[in-house]
Amino acid sequence: MDLKSKVSGIMPQVHELRWQIHRYPELSLQEKQTAALVERELMEIGLTPCRVTDTGVVAVLSGGRPGKTIALRADMDALPLQEKTGSKYCSQVDGVMHACGHDVHTAILLGVARLLTSIRENLAGNVKFIFQPAEENNPTGGAKPMIDAGVLDNPQVDAILALHVWPDLPVGSIGVRQGAMMAASDRVFLTVEGQNSHGSAPHQGVDAIVAAAHVITALQTVVSRNVNPLEAAVLSFGTIKGGNRYNIIANQVELEGTCRTLNPAIRQLMENRLAALAPQVAAGLGAKCEGRYVHGYPALINSDQGYELLRQAGEETVGKEGVIIPPYSGMGAEDFAFFLEKVPGGFFWLGCTKPGDPVIPLHNPEFLPAEECLAVGIEVLVRAVMNYLTLSQ
Ligand code: NI
């Protein structure tokens, strides 16, 4: 039996699982029912799941012959949104929904586990299935706590793969690129301190609002003047709060923003320049500026081997024309990046919009991936694992 028919054979079960997970979405670190469902399914397949962190589930499949260990990771958490898809398996939990497709990721990985277990005798090495909580919980996330708890050890993981449904790509295609796929996402907190005075007598105080305006403008020059124009960096302030009354010179302004980068060296440059420039601009105006730069998820960077493995498995699944090499990385963040900091591997985008349908973005209450994407995701991962565990003998 060829692989495509094997995948078709398990799809009814996979869709059932996906609908079940979609109906009962759980927020980050509350994935109790989902983790229990994953455990039940893994046991039914014949694997022995264990918990790594409270709601993280892991199982190892040993092939017929010894070899390397490849890990596959799916995230399981949902978002605080009221679903508006009108699907037959709509969320039954008020105000919580799988609006980022993690239900699809979890069901795909369960399908992959079922299929690979049925052909375990042909595998030379091990497959570690990692079901991760709290991907949406930036900056802590769920990947780093699992890594700290030893999920990459015993057996030690040699390579790791994951996917994310991607509405910008049509169903039946995948997107994968060399190097950075997703951005580092850091948070910037600034407090500008001045001194109150009457609005009619600004010379008697230090205007924190005017100082903050200069700080904001000056910080934009870090992107435009300090970062190599061929590198990516985004600095956006999303909140600014200051002042108490229209005719009082404000003594304090608080700013909060996000900094996105694709290259660890540029990330460091942004952090260093923000820390150096903001206090000096404020000082030049007689104010003070203190800041905190909080690291979120790092940039997600595919290793050359991980990229090659996914590209090849993708071509075997959807043909050369179905494998899209996106010209740009995503500037969103993914905590799978923490795994790729420790182990070489790859991450790909799974096309999930039907041709002709409107593109509904991730984290939108109407987001609902086309169901045909699940079989594609399963086949790509199964082929990548089979190729890796043959190659690495
Ligand atoms: Ni997501």
Side-chain angles (χ1 to χ4, degrees):
M1 196 197 256
D2 74 352
L3 189 56
K4 279 206 196 296
S5 352
K6 281 204 172 88
V7 173
S8 308
I10 61 164
M11 287 321 292
Q13 278 161 305
V14 172
H15 286 305
E16 280 293 340
L17 287 167
R18 187 269 171 133
W19 296 333
Q20 175 78 4
I21 300 166
H22 192 93
R23 277 191 197 104
Y24 300 101
E26 294 172 300
L27 295 173
S28 302
L29 301 175
Q30 298 171 27
E31 306 89 343
K32 292 190 171 45
Q33 290 186 59
T34 312
L37 175 147
V38 165
E39 283 175 326
R40 272 199 308 279
E41 179 65 14
L42 291 171
M43 282 191 280
E44 198 197 295
I45 295 167
L47 298 175
T48 311
C50 67
R51 292 280 174 122
V52 176
T53 73
D54 260 6
T55 47
V57 180
V58 179
V60 178
L61 170 68
S62 305
R65 283 163 292 157
K68 292 200 170 174
T69 297
I70 184 164
L72 305 174
R73 170 276 207 175
D75 42 7
M76 302 187 288
D77 53 330
L79 287 162
L81 279 170
Q82 185 69 37
E83 179 160 352
K84 289 183 187 156
T85 64
S87 80
K88 63 176 183 188
Y89 46 88
C90 199
S91 170
Q92 302 297 301
V93 184
D94 229 21
V96 184
M97 136 180 219
H98 271 292
C100 201
H102 299 186
D103 54 332
V104 171
H105 307 164
T106 303
I108 284 177
L109 193 52
L110 287 170
V112 172
R114 181 172 284 272
L115 215 157
L116 286 174
T117 304
S118 74
I119 57 165
R120 71 196 301 167
E121 287 310 316
N122 303 333
L123 301 175
N126 311 304
V127 190
K128 191 179 274 192
F129 302 100
I130 301 175
F131 294 87
Q132 181 212 299
E135 194 286 323
E136 302 287 357
N137 200 28
N138 199 346
T140 321
K144 186 143 193 317
M146 287 189 95
I147 294 168
D148 293 344
V151 77
L152 294 173
D153 313 325
N154 194 28
Q156 199 181 336
V157 171
D158 300 297
I160 188 162
L161 304 174
L163 61 80
H164 203 294
V165 289
W166 209 252
D168 295 320
L169 298 180
V171 65
S173 71
I174 70 160
V176 64
R177 66 197 303 282
Q178 279 175 297
M181 279 292 286
M182 306 292 289
S185 167
D186 299 328
R187 271 166 91 167
V188 183
F189 298 87
L190 294 176
T191 305
V192 180
E193 299 275 357
Q195 200 184 312
N196 290 131
S197 69
H198 197 287
S200 66
H203 59 290
Q204 292 174 348
V206 174
D207 192 340
I209 287 181
V210 169
H214 281 274
V215 168
I216 293 166
T217 307
L219 292 186
Q220 294 305 313
T221 70
V222 177
V223 175
S224 71
R225 304 292 87 182
N226 299 135
V227 172
N228 179 333
L230 298 174
E231 295 276 0
V234 180
L235 176 67
S236 296
F237 284 99
T239 73
I240 173 164
K241 290 175 192 151
N244 290 314
R245 198 181 140 89
Y246 79 99
N247 64 351
I248 300 175
I249 296 295
N251 68 341
Q252 191 181 71
V253 173
E254 289 188 340
L255 297 152
E256 195 179 331
T258 183
C259 183
R260 307 286 172 119
T261 50
L262 296 172
N263 172 340
I266 300 297
R267 186 190 202 187
Q268 192 61 56
L269 172 91
M270 290 298 294
E271 180 174 357
N272 293 349
R273 287 297 297 146
L274 298 190
L277 187 53
Q280 291 191 43
V281 171
L285 299 164
K288 281 192 192 133
C289 181
E290 287 186 350
R292 266 189 313 138
Y293 189 97
V294 179
H295 284 211
Y297 301 165
L300 186 154
I301 298 170
N302 283 342
S303 75
D304 291 348
Q305 190 197 17
Y307 161 75
E308 202 43 53
L309 204 54
L310 291 172
R311 189 193 56 75
Q312 198 197 326
E315 286 188 6
E316 290 167 8
T317 305
V318 290
K320 222 175 167 106
E321 62 290 348
V323 178
I324 295 163
I325 314 288
Y328 303 114
S329 320
M331 290 310 280
E334 233 292 351
D335 77 347
F336 183 65
F338 284 113
F339 287 112
L340 291 182
E341 280 190 333
K342 300 279 180 196
V343 179
F347 181 79
F348 70 99
W349 296 337
L350 179 64
C352 69
T353 299
K354 277 196 181 143
D357 279 3
V359 173
I360 313 263
L362 300 171
H363 293 212
N364 180 296
E366 290 178 37
F367 176 67
L368 195 67
E371 298 203 326
E372 294 80 358
C373 78
L374 280 94
V376 177
I378 291 173
E379 192 178 331
V380 172
L381 287 177
V382 167
R383 286 188 188 278
V385 167
M386 288 168 63
N387 292 344
Y388 181 78
L389 292 184
T390 314
L391 285 174
S392 66
Q393 276 182 79

